[in-house]
Every structure is written in structure tokens, then in C-alpha cells.
């Protein structure tokens, strides 16, 4: 393939430079990661749906609220913690409100802002769901790994997450969409 001059933009269908493909070992690792993470998310979601009647994402929102001062967070902060778009968060909070587990409150200092607040009923749902969820996490992940593997997994995931959360203001992150 001929390389284009840097001053001439390449059409989307052409590569600017030759791709650096994954090695066989890198591909094996990547596919193992995708396979395991997909199965793990499905396992957690099914466990929570079965035992508590809520999807994993909703459980995570309830956890974030329960760990926040006064069990409340601004909607933008909650979206950031959950790593989801504001639109998806708004839909999820609407469903949680319908169940009586969360309520919205207007922000007194910002007329456009809102808080999501965990209700007593939501706290009870979370307390009932947590033991089964923790057992599922422990069984699916921690009981399968040695302490050294657990430590390595934590370090690896922190490095990957840091690389995917650029500090610059214009970053394309879900909660900014």
C-alpha cells in the first residue's frame, strides 16, 4: 500500500499506515478477556435479576447512591461513577423512581441540575440484594484466583482504566455525552 503525504487526508477506507496486528498470544489473551468479561457481566446480571429483580446496572446505581453523603448525588456525578451516558442514566433513574427506590430533587444552586436520592425503600432493596451479589462475585472471581492473581488483576485493571480516562476536558467519555 502506498502511503499518503501527511498534508493530504486519507479517505476513511484507506489506512494511513500499516496496521500492527495482534500476535497470536495477544489475540488469545484479548479473546479470553472478551469471553470472560461478557460471561461475567451476564452472570452478575442474571443473578441480580433472579434474586432481586433488578439489572446489574441498576444495582450499581443504588450502590453509588448508598455510599454517597446523604445517599444523594448530582445526576452528572452519578453518570460519571456508573460510566454511562446521561441519557441512559436518566432512563435508569426513571425506572428506579417508578419502583420507589430513587427520587429526583432539583439542585438549589443550579436550576438545570438534579440530584438522584436513594429512598428508604431503595436502601432496603440494596441491603437485601447485596449478600447474594457479593457471594456471586466471590464465587465467580475471587475464589478462582490466588491472592497473587487477585492483586495482579487489580493492578492490570487499574492501568487499563487509567489509560481509558484521559484528563483533558474534551475527552469522549460516556458521562460527557
Amino acid at each position: 500500500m502506498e502511503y499518503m503525504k501527511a498534508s493530504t487526508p486519507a479517505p476513511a477506507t484507506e489506512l494511513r499506515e500499516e496496521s500492527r496486528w495482534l500476535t497470536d498470544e495477544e489475540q488469545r489473551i484479548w479473546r479470553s478477556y472478551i469471553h470472560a468479561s461478557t460471561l461475567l457481566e451476564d452472570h452478575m446480571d442474571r443473578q441480580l435479576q433472579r434474586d432481586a429483580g433488578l439489572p446489574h446496572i441498576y444495582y450499581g446505581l443504588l450502590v453509588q447512591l448508598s455510599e454517597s453523603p446523604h445517599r444523594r448525588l448530582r445526576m452528572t456525578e452519578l453518570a460519571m461513577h456508573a460510566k454511562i451516558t446521561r441519557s441512559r442514566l436518566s432512563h435508569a433513574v426513571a425506572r428506579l423512581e417508578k419502583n420507589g427506590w430513587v427520587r429526583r430533587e432539583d439542585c438549589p444552586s443550579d436550576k438545570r441540575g438534579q440530584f438522584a436520592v436513594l429512598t428508604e425503600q431503595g436502601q432496603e432493596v440494596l441491603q437485601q440484594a447485596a449478600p447474594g451479589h457479593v457471594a456471586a462475585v466471590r464465587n465467580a472471581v475471587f475464589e478462582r484466583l490466588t491472592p497473587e492473581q487477585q492483586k495482579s488483576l487489580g493492578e492490570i485493571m487499574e492501568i487499563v482504566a487509567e489509560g481509558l480516562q484521559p484528563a483533558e476536558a474534551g475527552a469522549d467519555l460516556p458521562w460527557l455525552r
Side-chain angles (χ1 to χ4, degrees):
M1 169 182 268
E2 247 181 74
Y3 291 98
M4 302 185 85
K5 292 181 182 177
S7 61
T8 307
T13 58
E14 293 185 34
L15 297 175
R16 289 179 189 244
E17 57 184 69
E18 196 171 319
S19 295
R20 186 172 159 240
W21 299 106
L22 299 178
T23 66
D24 288 345
E25 181 63 7
E26 288 169 336
Q27 194 165 117
R28 183 193 67 75
I29 292 166
W30 176 245
R31 288 181 180 179
S32 293
Y33 165 77
I34 293 295
H35 185 76
S37 63
T38 302
L39 289 172
L40 183 60
E41 181 60 32
D42 178 68
H43 178 73
M44 296 294 102
D45 199 57
R46 284 185 295 113
Q47 178 273 317
L48 283 164
Q49 288 280 10
R50 181 185 62 243
D51 296 350
L54 72 157
H56 193 207
I57 186 74
Y58 292 8
Y59 177 85
L61 295 173
L62 297 179
V63 168
Q64 286 296 323
L65 290 172
S66 75
E67 294 175 347
S68 299
H70 309 290
R71 298 189 313 202
R72 63 192 272 157
L73 276 174
R74 285 189 62 130
M75 293 286 283
T76 51
E77 284 183 77
L78 186 55
M80 183 183 71
H81 288 299
K83 311 294 187 254
I84 60 176
T85 63
R86 290 177 284 192
S87 172
R88 186 171 180 201
L89 175 67
S90 184
H91 177 74
V93 169
R95 294 282 309 271
L96 293 169
E97 278 183 301
K98 186 177 176 184
N99 291 336
W101 301 341
V102 169
R103 73 174 180 276
R104 292 184 211 218
E105 293 179 354
D106 290 333
C107 178
S109 63
D110 178 4
K111 297 298 179 196
R112 295 181 308 164
Q114 284 191 318
F115 288 98
V117 183
L118 183 66
T119 65
E120 286 298 324
Q121 187 179 359
Q123 182 68 31
E124 289 172 19
V125 166
L126 184 59
Q127 288 174 337
Q128 291 172 0
H133 181 65
V134 170
V137 170
R138 184 170 298 288
N139 184 35
V141 178
F142 294 101
E143 291 177 359
R144 298 175 185 273
L145 301 175
T146 66
E148 294 80 23
Q149 289 170 324
Q150 292 174 20
K151 183 178 180 198
S152 292
L153 178 62
E155 291 169 349
I156 290 166
M157 293 296 99
E158 286 174 8
I159 290 167
V160 170
E162 285 173 14
L164 294 171
Q165 294 187 113
E168 63 262 9
D172 184 27
L173 298 168
W175 54 94
L176 298 176
R177 289 185 226 138

